[in-house]
């Protein structure tokens, strides 16, 4: 791994750590007054999910740019010029290391074996991209999946803010989460694996060597298995939200106030103060 990539990985790790410990608490308190009412044992996860959203937006949008405009990578998916892809992957690796450290330090409240497996599989595969510059197209293609993360995190934020599942914002986000998750993690599997199989037996594939081949294929299988499991859980949750919202509307039952509303002063108090 070159000095530039090591610097980006280290800088990414430090940046996301600062976002978690400094920027997120300040920004959350300003944007969401109800942040002060979030249980203390959930504040760590709140800040980590805000950082996760920032990482997903940065890396996901950079990924789309590379797919659209990096002709060298698209022309040679196995050995194309990996300069921009390595930069994007280095940012992600720094984030993954930061998140693994965070999970280890808060395992009792945030520990999740699926996330650990996901992170380790990704680091294993991305290590070859950073050290040998191979498979840039495929590495970048996998990063499209990050575009679903903001919706997943927003769902958790709504739960923490006590928004009822029938609330319009929760329902809309739930549907968007299911649709985007399917598009960027499930629907892309056939074209992705078609591109993978198209390289089998070629001179470019042979040049990779057994180590890179095993890392590439095994990590992709592991990630797709995890994505399929998560898609099943999301689809079930989305179905429950939609059917629950419909049932509540038919009964015309009043919805409880979300925590965000409770954090605001009553309108009468505001008017009295103004008087």
């Amino acid at each position: 791994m070159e000095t530039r990539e090591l610097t980006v990985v280290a800088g990414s790790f430090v940046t996301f750590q600062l976002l978690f410990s400094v920027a997120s608490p300040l920004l959350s308190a300003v944007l969401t007054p109800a942040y002060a009412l979030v249980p203390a044992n959930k504040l760590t996860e709140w800040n980590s999910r805000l950082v996760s959203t920032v990482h997903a937006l940065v890396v996901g949008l950079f990924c789309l740019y590379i797919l659209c405009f990096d002709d060298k990578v698209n022309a040679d998916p196995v050995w194309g010029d990996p300069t921009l892809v390595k930069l994007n992957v280095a940012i992600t690796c720094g984030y993954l290391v930061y998140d693994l450290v965070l999970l280890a330090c808060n395992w009792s409240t945030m520990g999740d074996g699926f996330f650990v497996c996901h992170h380790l599989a990704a680091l294993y595969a991305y290590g070859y991209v950073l050290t040998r510059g191979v498979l840039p197209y495929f590495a970048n293609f996998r990063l499209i999946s990050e575009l679903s993360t903001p919706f997943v995190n927003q769902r958790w934020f709504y739960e923490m803010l006590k928004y009822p599942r029938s609330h319009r914002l929760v329902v809309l986000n739930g549907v968007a989460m299911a649709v985007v998750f399917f598009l960027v993690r499930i629907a892309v599997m056939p074209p992705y694996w078609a591109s993978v199989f198209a390289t089998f037996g070629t001179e470019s594939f042979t040049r990779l060597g057994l180590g890179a081949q095993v890392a590439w294929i095994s990590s992709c299988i592991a990630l797709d298995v995890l994505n399929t499991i998560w898609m099943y859980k999301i689809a079930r949750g989305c179905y429950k939200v939609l059917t629950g919202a419909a049932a509540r509307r038919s009964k015309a039952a009043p919805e409880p106030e979300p925590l965000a509303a409770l954090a605001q002063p009553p309108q009468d108090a505001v008017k009295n103060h103004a008087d």
Side-chain angles (χ1 to χ4, degrees):
M1 189 185 304
E2 297 180 2
T3 302
R4 190 191 72 159
E5 281 73 45
L6 281 173
T7 302
V8 174
V9 171
S12 172
F13 175 84
V14 172
T15 299
F16 287 121
Q17 182 59 51
L18 289 174
L19 284 174
F20 168 79
S21 58
V22 179
S24 177
L26 294 175
L27 187 62
S28 298
V30 171
L31 296 179
T32 308
Y35 176 74
L37 303 178
V38 174
N41 63 336
K42 293 295 184 180
L43 289 178
T44 296
E45 186 168 359
W46 176 292
N47 294 325
S48 73
R49 286 182 179 271
L50 184 59
V51 173
S52 170
T53 297
V54 172
H55 163 261
L57 291 174
V58 171
V59 171
L61 294 176
F62 195 9
C63 168
L64 290 179
Y65 173 83
I66 294 172
L67 284 175
C68 294
F69 300 108
D70 196 329
D71 296 332
K72 293 182 179 179
V73 167
N74 294 327
D76 186 354
V78 180
W79 293 96
D81 180 10
T83 302
L84 291 180
V85 174
K86 288 172 75 173
L87 176 60
N88 209 20
V89 167
I91 294 172
T92 293
C93 286
Y95 168 78
L96 292 175
V97 173
Y98 141 82
D99 205 38
L100 284 172
V101 172
L102 184 66
L103 287 173
C105 294
N106 299 274
W107 187 259
S108 61
T109 57
M110 295 177 57
D112 189 321
F114 280 135
F115 277 110
V116 172
C117 291
H118 173 274
H119 287 10
L120 292 178
L123 285 171
Y124 177 49
Y126 289 151
Y128 278 91
V129 180
L130 294 180
T131 56
R132 294 183 54 188
V134 297
L135 305 167
Y137 172 85
F138 297 103
N140 190 67
F141 199 99
R142 300 301 308 195
L143 288 174
I144 295 177
S145 63
E146 289 299 327
L147 292 173
S148 65
T149 301
F151 298 98
V152 176
N153 289 336
Q154 188 60 44
R155 174 180 177 273
W156 186 89
F157 289 138
Y158 282 141
E159 288 183 355
M160 284 299 99
L161 295 174
K162 306 299 182 183
Y163 277 78
R165 290 190 174 185
S166 58
H167 194 284
R168 181 172 57 88
L169 293 177
V170 176
V171 174
L172 290 176
N173 181 75
V175 173
M177 178 180 69
V179 171
V180 174
F181 195 99
F182 175 79
L183 290 176
V184 301
R185 293 181 184 252
I186 305 300
V188 296
M189 287 184 189
Y192 178 83
W193 283 104
S195 299
V196 171
F197 293 144
T199 67
F200 287 1
T202 64
E203 188 270 339
S204 295
F205 182 81
T206 303
R207 283 174 56 198
L208 286 174
L210 183 61
Q213 293 168 0
V214 171
W216 175 25
I217 303 302
S218 63
S219 63
C220 287
I221 292 174
L223 292 173
D224 283 342
V225 169
L226 290 173
N227 285 331
T228 302
I229 294 172
W230 284 330
M231 182 73 252
Y232 172 71
K233 293 182 177 180
I234 288 174
R236 285 187 60 188
C238 184
Y239 175 77
K240 290 180 180 179
V241 168
L242 290 174
T243 55
R248 291 185 183 91
R249 281 198 299 268
S250 64
K251 294 179 181 179
E255 294 184 347
E257 289 290 339
L259 192 62
L262 298 177
Q264 302 294 336
Q267 289 299 314
D268 291 341
V270 174
K271 292 179 180 178
N272 291 338
H273 180 72
D275 294 340

